[in-house]
């Protein structure tokens, strides 16, 4: 078995040299079995034959790509030509055109979106429906009884609605398109043989059966089987995750999108477009049955909570006010409008968008570009981080592990490294030569003190390099060779003994078990001055272990992630032994499994009852393909986990897209960046820890606002409905809009509020949020009703403070006294805003200092509210200014009622919230007992009814496209509708521009 490390020594385009395996060296005795050194590498699969009747095969895509019938990737090349009905002279133009119609173009199709319908689709969700309903009531239903429509409320609501839609539309239109990035990285041109002549065509015109050619630097334009390969080395790391370029020989398969790093080749195309290995990876991008984003589901559920709350009391008012009190049409409608305007969290999408946008700017300081703004919220809830290895956890740069170098002769470790560097190229280096020369403290020593006489670069025949040189200090001629262990030991006639071979074999096996690639080094001296002369026999002097080392900060990053409650799993296309060794070095663990377990499941009798249990326990998986990465993430999500996935290659794109948060690391391909939600522009993973902490701060701000918004909804709806039922109190709708606008202006500053991140993954527990909201809302309702009841039923405030109402009244015999309306407005405005200081803190409100912006905004809003109360005499609404005495009374009243809010919070935590959490933990315990797999809650993901509300947005735009005659011109994928970006997307474009896709020569 060949050693892929040494086989992958790239950089030479010379013809293979003559075999120099010392044929005259003593041969082993016939009865002695030749040793099979377990050099680390891929198992070679024997070619198979097609399991079909060649005379009956039909040239159809359904047949050629059905692996149960025929596997074009493994059958012998002669059968490939028979099955594809072609030969080495290529196809005719007519046949190529026929096949193009049969198989389709060799490219990935992208779908177009109609901008106008896309904009309209943002008005299709529960929150927008309530807002639209309120606007409709204000402008249409309010037009009657000699009174004009309620233009003020209508304009305010519609303006906010359009602003929210515009923000969403802008973000989505700027979102990265992963499929387009994958398509753009394909080679645009291809050298093909048609009618027996070589010519250059668009790669999209390639068809199965075409003969193609490529050379060093070219991108392979389609999946092919090689018919001629001259010293070919292919870099397919971006597709398979392999650390090194892969040597290819006749009959081997090359993947579309991989890069030729050495040599030149000809081959026959076996699959094109979406049927290539590259295309299958692209087709997985966006194949997410989760048609709505996580934050959208939360918004849907909060919107539904507000909608139901409003609906209950609106229906109650219709029956009570019209049927019971016999209100006239317009009077009853004004009361209903108060509930609609006050109950809608009008600014919720805007507040959350601003919070996320500010968060995206803050994350940009840590070199993390957010390309889907809602991913910030999901990152806070991530419980598992699935990380690619090559180039992500590791440097993707081979290194010699000095601590495990083996010495077999009278040489030191430094001597062995120096001699190995002599046997390496110093320019036009491949990966092996680079790491060997790089192991020297000064790379110039690789040629210092010697005179180069002859150098034989690596070639697939000899599988080694060799240098003959003159040592300037002694004038002696010497020779050094390095390469595959089995080849080198056969050359070592001077010190090859049974004992040495046993030791070497044991060392190579140890290296292979640890995922280290073995590079043997041998040395000999020459008699005389003839560089071509025979030496005194090679002597094995050392074995160099080569590996892809972890990044310097990776271990610390993993430790930090674990402290934050995020479990890290390695998911790599590299070999199992390499993955285990990397896991051990990083402290990640070595409970890793080959990808085949994802298909076969746990072995009978193992400690795992099912595959899900094994995936949860595993520290990682090795030898995975794009389908496997995608499946791992999907299964973890199915268990209730929110997953982040890091990667850098096209092979990572499907899993990056499927993951709740896809993270493209620094230096990632266009495809990975396009599929990712966050793009890192700095090497290493330390940025991810900053991003997780930052996202949890942002999450806390959004949670605080959500409790506040729901509490205000309950507070307004319940309060004014009870006031209408109990006292026939008709509050002016416009004043509710003023309260909402002042509240929203203050709440916007929550986006920069000072909060502490949690040390465990955050989760939207809506039962807790709604419980807090109801408790706060009912309490604040009581504060207002108590005040109104005292003013209406008693003369308490006149007796104690000497204040009066309209026309000197000592109590509100007129329940709709304009000054009473103003008193209620001021009381509701002040204490509603003050509530935010309670919802934003976990302990007493004065123990957690708010941001300066929030405090200043609160003070300004209260000043404006007090000024309106003191001077607001507006003719279009039923209010009248009140005296300073009343303003003082309202302030003192609110302060008295404010302090017990913290006690309500603590009481809720000790009773209702504690019970909710206990019930949830019991439910988890039952699920774990039944399935054997601990399931992490993410309650919002199970809310199918709320998902369907947002899914309607998808069906709406499709129906609209058909209605207005766009037909097939508009084809929008559900997953594309949920992709958001931020103003940071422009920076992403700049990064992509600096790292364009490589074009074929």
């Amino acid at each position: 078995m060949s050693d892929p490390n040494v086989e992958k020594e790239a950089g030479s385009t010379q013809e293979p040299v003559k075999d120099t395996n010392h044929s005259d060296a003593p041969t082993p005795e016939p009865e002695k079995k030749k040793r099979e050194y377990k050099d680390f590498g891929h198992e070679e699969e024997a070619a198979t034959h097609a399991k079909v009747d060649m005379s009956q095969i039909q040239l159809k895509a359904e047949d050629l790509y059905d692996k149960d019938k025929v596997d074009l990737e493994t059958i012998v090349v002669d059968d490939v030509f028979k099955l594809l009905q072609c030969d080495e002279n290529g196809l005719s133009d007519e046949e190529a055109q026929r096949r193009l119609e049969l198989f389709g173009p060799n490219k990935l199709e992208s779908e177009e979106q109609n901008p106008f319908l896309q904009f309209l689709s943002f008005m299709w969700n529960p929150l927008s429906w309530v807002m639209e309903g309120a606007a409709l009531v204000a402008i249409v239903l309010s037009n009657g009884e000699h009174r004009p429509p309620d233009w003020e409320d209508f304009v305010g609501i519609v303006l906010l609605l359009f602003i929210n839609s515009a923000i969403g539309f802008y973000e989505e239109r700027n979102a990265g398109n992963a499929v387009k990035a994958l398509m753009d990285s394909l080679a645009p041109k291809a050298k093909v043989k048609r009618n027996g002549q070589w010519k250059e065509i668009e790669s999209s015109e390639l068809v199965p059966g075409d003969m193609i050619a490529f050379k060093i630097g070219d991108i392979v334009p389609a999946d092919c089987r090689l018919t001629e390969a001259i010293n070919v080395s292919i870099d397919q790391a971006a597709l398979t995750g392999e650390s090194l370029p892969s040597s290819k020989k006749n009959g081997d398969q090359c993947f579309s999108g991989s890069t030729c790093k050495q040599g030149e080749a000809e081959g026959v195309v076996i699959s094109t477009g979406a049927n290539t290995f590259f295309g299958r990876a692209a087709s997985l991008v966006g194949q997410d049955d989760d048609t709505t984003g996580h934050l959208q589901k939360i918004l849907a559920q909060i919107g539904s909570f507000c909608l139901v709350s409003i609906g209950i009391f609106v229906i109650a008012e219709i029956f009570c006010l019209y049927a019971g009190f016999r209100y006239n049409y317009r009077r009853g409608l004004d009361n209903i409008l108060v509930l609609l305007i006050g109950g809608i969290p009008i600014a919720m999408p805007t507040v959350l968008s601003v919070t996320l946008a500010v968060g995206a700017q803050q994350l940009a300081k840590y070199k993390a570009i957010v390309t889907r703004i809602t991913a910030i919220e999901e990152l806070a809830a991530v419980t598992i981080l699935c990380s690619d290895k090559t180039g992500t956890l590791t440097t993707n740069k081979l290194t010699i592990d000095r601590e495990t170098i083996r010495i077999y002769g009278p040489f030191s470790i430094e001597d062995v490294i120096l001699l190995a560097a002599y046997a390496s190229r110093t320019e036009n280096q491949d990966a092996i030569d680079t790491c060997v020369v790089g192991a020297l403290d000064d790379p110039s020593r690789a040629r210092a003190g010697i005179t180069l006489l002859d150098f034989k670069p690596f070639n697939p025949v000899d599988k080694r390099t060799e240098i003959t040189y003159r040592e300037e200090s002694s004038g002696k001629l010497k020779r050094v060779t390095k390469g595959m262990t089995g080849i080198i030991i056969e050359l070592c006639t001077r010190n090859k003994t049974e004992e040495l071979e046993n030791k070497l074999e044991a060392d190579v096996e140890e290296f292979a078990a640890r995922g280290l690639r073995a590079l043997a080094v041998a040395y000999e001296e020459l008699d005389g001055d003839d560089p071509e002369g025979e030496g005194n026999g090679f002597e094995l002097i050392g074995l160099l272990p080569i590996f892809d080392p972890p990044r310097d900060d990776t271990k610390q990053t993993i430790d930090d992630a674990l402290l934050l409650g995020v479990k890290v799993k390695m998911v790599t296309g590299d070999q199992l032994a390499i993955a285990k060794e990397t896991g051990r070095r990083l402290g990640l663990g070595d409970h890793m499994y080959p990808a085949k377990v994802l298909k076969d499941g746990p072995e009978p009798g193992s400690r795992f009852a099912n595959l899900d249990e094994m995936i949860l326990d595993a520290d990682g998986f090795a030898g995975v393909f794009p389908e496997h990465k995608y499946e791992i993430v999907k299964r973890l999500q199915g268990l209730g986990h929110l997953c982040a996935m890091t990667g850098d290659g096209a092979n990572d794109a499907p899993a990056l897209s499927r993951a709740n948060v896809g993270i493209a690391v620094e230096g990632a391909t266009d495809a990975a960046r396009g599929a990712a939600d966050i793009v890192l522009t700095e090497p290493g993973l330390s940025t991810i820890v900053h991003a997780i902490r930052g996202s949890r701060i942002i999450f806390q701000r959004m949670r605080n606002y959500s409790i506040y918004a729901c509490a205000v909804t309950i507070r307004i709806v319940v309060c004014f409905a009870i006031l209408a039922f109990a006292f026939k109190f008709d509050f002016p709708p416009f004043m509710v809009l003023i309260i909402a606008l002042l509240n929203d202006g203050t709440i916007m500053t929550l986006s920069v509020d000072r909060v502490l991140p949690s040390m465990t993954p955050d989760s939207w527990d809506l039962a807790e949020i709604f419980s807090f909201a109801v408790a706060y809302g009912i309490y604040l309702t009581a504060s207002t009703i108590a005040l109104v009841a005292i003013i209406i039923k008693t003369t308490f405030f006149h007796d104690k403070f000497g204040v009066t109402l309209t026309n000197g009244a000592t109590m509100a015999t007129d329940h709709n006294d304009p000054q009473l309306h103003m008193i209620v407005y001021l009381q509701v405005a002040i204490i509603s805003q003050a509530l935010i200081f309670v919802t934003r803190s976990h302990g007493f409100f004065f123990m957690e200092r708010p941001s300066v912006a929030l405090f200043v905004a609160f003070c300004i809003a209260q000043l404006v509210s007090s000024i309106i109360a003191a001077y607001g005499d507006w003719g279009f609404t039923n209010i009248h200014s009140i005296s300073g005495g009343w303003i003082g009374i309202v302030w003192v009243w609110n302060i008295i009622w404010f302090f017990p809010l913290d006690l309500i919070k603590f009481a809720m935590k000790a009773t209702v919230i504690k019970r909710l959490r206990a019930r949830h933990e019991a439910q988890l315990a039952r699920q774990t007992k039944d399935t054997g797999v601990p399931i992490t809650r993410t309650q919002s993901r199970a809310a199918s009814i709320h998902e369907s509300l947002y899914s309607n947005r998808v069906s709406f735009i499709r129906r609209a496209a058909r209605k207005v005659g766009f037909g097939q011109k508009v084809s929008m994928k559900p997953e594309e509708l949920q992709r958001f970006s931020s103003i940071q997307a422009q920076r992403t474009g700049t990064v992509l521009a600096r790292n364009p896709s490589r074009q074929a020569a």
Side-chain angles (χ1 to χ4, degrees):
M1 183 173 68
S2 63
D3 185 344
N5 289 308
V6 188
E7 285 187 61
K8 290 167 184 161
E9 294 210 24
S12 171
T13 55
Q14 299 180 17
E15 293 292 325
V17 298
K18 185 178 179 182
D19 187 0
T20 57
N21 264 352
H22 289 272
S23 57
D24 56 343
T27 57
E29 297 178 12
E31 65 275 7
K32 184 178 179 180
K33 182 180 179 181
K34 186 174 180 179
R35 293 172 183 266
E36 294 290 338
Y37 289 92
K38 294 183 180 179
D39 290 296
F40 193 76
H42 293 279
E43 295 287 343
E44 293 187 1
E45 295 184 2
T48 59
H49 287 274
K51 300 175 182 178
V52 294
D53 185 349
M54 295 295 178
S55 62
Q56 300 296 320
I57 189 69
Q58 295 186 23
L59 191 65
K60 294 191 303 184
E62 293 79 10
D63 288 335
L64 291 182
Y65 300 138
D66 184 353
K67 289 197 174 186
D68 290 334
K69 294 181 179 179
V70 55
D71 191 348
L72 288 170
E73 299 174 6
T74 59
I75 62 173
V76 296
V77 176
D78 287 345
D79 282 0
V80 173
F81 281 110
K82 291 178 184 178
L83 287 166
L84 295 178
Q85 300 169 20
C86 60
D87 56 39
E88 294 191 356
N89 291 320
L91 303 173
S92 65
D93 289 335
E94 295 78 13
E95 177 62 15
Q97 182 59 39
R98 187 183 76 84
R99 296 190 183 197
L100 189 62
E101 296 173 1
L102 190 66
F103 293 99
N106 179 36
K107 63 180 181 179
L108 305 179
E109 299 293 340
S110 59
E111 298 185 347
E112 296 181 359
Q113 298 178 353
N114 179 267
F116 178 68
L117 295 180
Q118 189 178 358
F119 176 79
L120 291 182
S121 68
F122 280 95
M123 301 184 191
W124 195 255
N125 61 70
L127 289 178
S128 294
W129 294 338
V130 182
M131 293 169 70
E132 291 153 9
L136 206 61
V137 169
I139 194 64
V140 178
L141 300 182
S142 294
N143 191 6
E145 298 184 354
H146 308 291
R147 291 173 60 186
D150 195 348
W151 286 104
E152 296 84 3
D153 294 333
F154 173 78
V155 171
I157 294 170
V158 169
L159 187 62
L160 285 174
L161 181 65
F162 270 84
I163 288 173
N164 291 330
S165 297
I167 291 173
F169 173 76
Y170 173 78
E171 290 168 350
E172 188 168 284
R173 291 296 291 180
N174 283 283
N177 187 316
V179 175
K180 184 176 184 299
L182 284 165
M183 179 182 66
D184 289 344
S185 64
L186 284 172
K189 297 287 185 181
K191 188 176 181 182
V192 65
K193 184 181 282 189
R194 294 274 174 85
N195 300 316
Q197 300 292 323
W198 289 104
K199 63 179 182 178
E200 192 173 71
I201 65 171
E202 295 287 336
S203 64
S204 61
E205 298 175 14
L206 288 178
V207 294
D210 264 329
M211 290 297 299
I212 59 172
F214 53 87
K215 61 184 184 303
I216 183 171
D218 288 350
I219 294 178
V220 180
D223 283 7
C224 64
R225 295 286 298 279
L226 298 184
T227 58
E228 184 177 346
I230 302 175
N231 203 17
V232 173
S233 180
I234 300 292
D235 180 3
Q236 53 194 34
L239 293 170
T240 64
E242 294 172 296
S243 303
L244 285 168
S246 176
S247 295
K248 299 291 183 180
K249 60 183 183 297
N250 288 358
D252 284 350
Q253 180 184 12
C254 290
F255 296 130
S256 169
S258 55
T259 306
C260 182
K261 302 295 268 185
Q262 178 179 344
E264 53 187 68
E266 294 180 13
V268 56
V269 174
I270 60 172
S271 54
T272 57
N275 294 298
T276 61
F277 181 91
F278 193 90
R280 291 196 298 272
S283 67
L284 289 176
V285 174
Q287 276 191 8
D288 191 343
D289 14 335
D290 180 14
T291 56
T292 55
H294 190 244
L295 184 59
Q296 287 93 321
K297 294 177 189 175
I298 300 302
L299 286 173
Q301 289 172 278
I302 293 175
S304 298
F305 173 81
C306 297
L307 182 60
V308 170
S309 302
I310 295 168
I312 290 172
F313 285 92
V314 165
I315 292 172
E317 282 203 345
I318 289 174
F319 282 103
C320 184
L321 302 186
Y322 287 116
F325 298 160
R326 302 296 179 180
Y327 273 19
N328 60 40
Y329 169 72
R330 189 63 187 268
R331 183 181 179 187
L333 199 62
D334 283 347
N335 278 275
I336 292 173
L337 198 58
V338 167
L339 303 192
L340 288 176
I341 297 174
I344 305 168
I346 295 178
M348 176 171 280
T350 305
V351 170
L352 296 186
S353 293
V354 170
T355 302
L356 291 172
V358 170
Q361 293 174 3
Q362 292 170 343
L363 290 181
K365 296 177 183 177
Y366 295 110
K367 308 299 182 184
I369 297 173
V370 180
T371 60
R372 181 172 66 88
I373 197 168
T374 54
I376 297 174
E377 176 268 338
E378 296 180 43
L379 183 60
V382 160
T383 54
I384 293 179
L385 172 62
C386 294
S387 177
D388 182 46
K389 178 188 73 70
T390 307
T392 305
L393 296 175
T394 63
T395 61
N396 197 19
K397 182 180 179 182
L398 295 182
T399 303
I400 292 176
D401 187 5
R402 287 174 172 267
E403 296 181 1
T404 52
I405 292 176
R406 298 291 186 264
I407 304 300
Y408 304 106
F411 293 89
S412 68
I413 290 177
E414 291 300 325
D415 291 337
V416 173
I417 294 176
L418 180 61
L419 290 173
Y422 287 166
S424 304
R425 302 183 76 157
T426 56
E427 54 187 30
N428 194 21
Q429 295 173 312
D430 63 11
I432 294 290
D433 287 346
T434 299
C435 86
V436 171
V437 174
L440 298 174
D441 52 3
D442 180 5
S444 63
R445 291 179 59 204
R447 290 294 179 266
I450 65 171
T451 301
L452 176 64
L453 301 177
D454 184 43
F455 187 86
K456 293 182 174 63
F458 173 86
N459 65 78
V461 177
D462 292 337
K463 295 179 172 47
R464 65 187 181 92
T465 63
E466 181 183 286
I467 185 174
T468 304
Y469 64 92
R470 185 186 302 277
E471 191 175 58
E472 294 177 357
S473 59
S474 65
K476 291 183 179 180
L477 268 60
K478 298 182 179 181
R479 186 174 290 146
V480 179
T481 184
K482 74 178 194 319
M484 177 182 169
T485 311
I487 296 293
I488 298 299
I489 189 62
E490 290 301 314
L491 298 176
C492 297
T493 56
R494 287 191 64 193
N495 67 339
K496 184 170 71 171
T497 63
E498 184 75 17
E499 181 183 357
L500 177 65
E501 287 191 89
N502 289 337
K503 188 174 187 307
L504 179 63
E505 186 173 31
D507 289 339
V508 172
E509 286 183 353
E510 180 191 344
F511 283 8
R514 295 181 57 185
L516 302 174
R517 294 176 165 90
L519 189 69
V521 183
Y523 161 88
E524 72 174 354
E525 295 184 355
L526 281 71
D527 296 326
D529 290 328
D530 182 10
E532 300 292 330
E534 291 289 330
N536 60 359
F538 276 108
E539 173 184 355
L540 181 68
I541 62 173
L543 195 67
L544 301 179
I546 296 177
F547 76 114
D548 181 12
R551 293 181 182 272
D552 294 338
D553 62 344
T554 300
K555 189 177 189 309
Q556 183 62 47
T557 298
I558 291 174
D559 292 342
D560 291 344
L562 292 174
L563 286 175
L564 291 171
V566 179
K567 181 173 174 58
V568 182
K569 294 182 184 292
M570 182 193 303
V571 184
T572 177
D574 224 327
Q575 309 263 319
L576 181 60
I578 295 175
K580 286 186 174 183
E581 177 67 11
T582 304
R584 281 192 288 265
R585 289 174 182 263
L586 291 174
L588 192 62
D590 59 0
H591 290 168
M592 300 192 186
Y593 306 97
K596 66 178 183 179
V597 302
L598 297 173
K599 179 181 179 182
D600 302 338
E603 294 182 0
S606 72
R607 61 192 178 96
F608 303 115
N610 52 53
L611 180 57
D612 287 340
E613 191 175 336
M614 174 180 270
I615 290 176
L616 271 182
D617 174 79
D619 295 318
F621 293 89
V624 298
F625 285 108
E627 294 88 344
H628 300 133
K629 294 186 179 185
Y630 183 86
E631 180 68 19
I632 291 169
V633 172
K634 187 175 180 180
R635 280 183 173 272
L636 288 171
Q637 288 175 329
L639 294 173
H641 286 278
L642 262 68
C643 293
M645 170 76 189
T646 68
D648 64 342
N651 63 313
D652 301 317
L656 289 174
S657 177
R658 169 73 208 197
N660 300 92
V661 183
I663 304 170
V665 298
E666 190 269 340
T669 62
D670 290 358
R673 289 193 186 102
D677 305 308
I678 296 176
V679 178
L680 306 184
T681 59
E682 214 171 53
L685 295 180
S686 58
T687 302
I688 293 178
V689 174
H690 292 302
I692 290 174
R693 287 198 183 102
S695 67
R696 291 185 183 178
I697 289 174
I698 296 163
F699 181 93
Q700 289 299 319
R701 292 168 179 161
M702 292 192 295
R703 180 181 180 274
N704 296 342
Y705 171 72
S706 298
I707 295 175
Y708 170 81
C710 293
V712 169
T713 293
I714 296 295
R715 186 259 197 286
I716 297 290
V717 170
V718 176
C719 175
F720 288 109
I722 291 177
L723 287 175
F725 300 155
F727 305 113
K728 297 185 179 179
F729 186 81
D730 303 328
F731 193 71
F734 184 77
M735 298 312 293
V736 176
L737 186 60
I738 294 295
I739 293 172
L741 291 174
L742 287 174
N743 281 354
D744 295 341
T746 303
I747 294 305
M748 287 291 180
T749 60
L750 272 181
S751 60
V752 293
D753 189 25
R754 184 185 287 106
V755 295
L756 296 174
S758 62
M759 292 306 292
T760 56
D762 288 310
S763 177
W764 285 101
D765 195 325
L766 293 180
E768 290 187 13
I769 290 175
F770 295 154
S771 298
F772 277 122
V774 170
Y776 293 142
I778 297 298
Y779 178 79
L780 295 182
T781 294
S783 74
T784 304
I785 292 175
L787 178 64
V788 173
I790 292 173
I791 295 174
I792 289 177
K793 300 292 186 181
T794 74
T795 60
F796 174 79
F797 291 114
H798 171 72
D799 297 340
K800 295 293 184 181
F801 306 105
V803 292
T804 59
L805 296 170
T806 304
N807 298 323
T810 58
M811 58 187 291
T813 52
D814 177 7
H815 294 182
N816 287 301
D817 186 314
Q819 288 193 332
L820 178 57
H821 287 165
M822 186 64 86
I823 292 170
V824 172
Y825 153 75
L826 184 60
Q827 193 271 335
V828 171
I830 292 173
I831 201 165
S832 293
Q833 283 201 22
L835 175 65
I836 189 60
F837 295 107
V838 175
T839 63
R840 64 171 295 279
S841 60
H842 296 283
F844 286 103
F845 75 93
F846 52 81
M847 299 296 291
E848 297 180 28
R849 186 162 57 94
S851 66
V852 174
L854 176 59
F855 186 74
V856 170
F858 171 78
C859 292
I860 291 174
Q862 301 321 307
L863 179 62
V864 171
S865 296
S866 299
I867 290 173
I868 291 175
Y871 301 103
D873 292 321
W874 300 331
F876 60 85
T877 187
N878 189 22
I879 60 168
H880 193 282
S881 58
I882 56 177
S883 66
W886 275 118
I887 293 175
I889 289 171
V890 171
W891 269 97
V892 172
W893 180 269
N894 281 336
I895 290 172
I896 293 172
W897 280 82
F898 174 75
F899 282 99
L901 278 169
D902 272 335
L903 301 180
I904 290 178
K905 175 170 59 183
F906 299 144
M908 287 292 295
K909 287 183 177 179
T911 56
V912 177
I913 304 304
K914 183 178 180 180
R915 240 185 330 265
L916 284 173
R917 291 179 178 175
R919 186 177 66 181
H920 176 69
E921 289 173 3
Q923 182 183 3
L924 284 182
R926 286 195 301 272
Q927 290 173 331
T928 303
K929 183 178 180 181
D930 294 340
T931 63
V933 179
I935 300 180
T936 300
R937 64 172 166 82
T938 308
Q939 294 182 357
S940 60
R941 299 189 70 80
S944 58
I945 182 172
H946 301 286
E947 291 186 41
S948 66
L949 293 175
Y950 270 94
S951 299
N952 286 342
R953 175 175 174 242
V954 179
S955 57
F956 157 75
I957 198 168
R958 287 176 174 162
R959 290 196 304 272
R962 290 193 293 269
K963 291 286 185 183
V964 299
F966 286 107
Q968 295 302 313
K969 293 182 181 178
V970 177
S971 179
M972 300 189 68
K973 291 184 177 180
E975 68 275 4
E976 288 300 319
L977 289 177
Q978 73 186 42
R979 294 187 63 81
F980 287 80
S981 70
S982 67
I983 56 174
Q984 305 301 325
Q986 295 178 353
R987 301 190 186 184
T988 308
T990 304
V991 175
L992 295 180
R994 290 199 301 266
N995 299 273
S997 301
R998 288 172 289 185
Q999 306 289 307

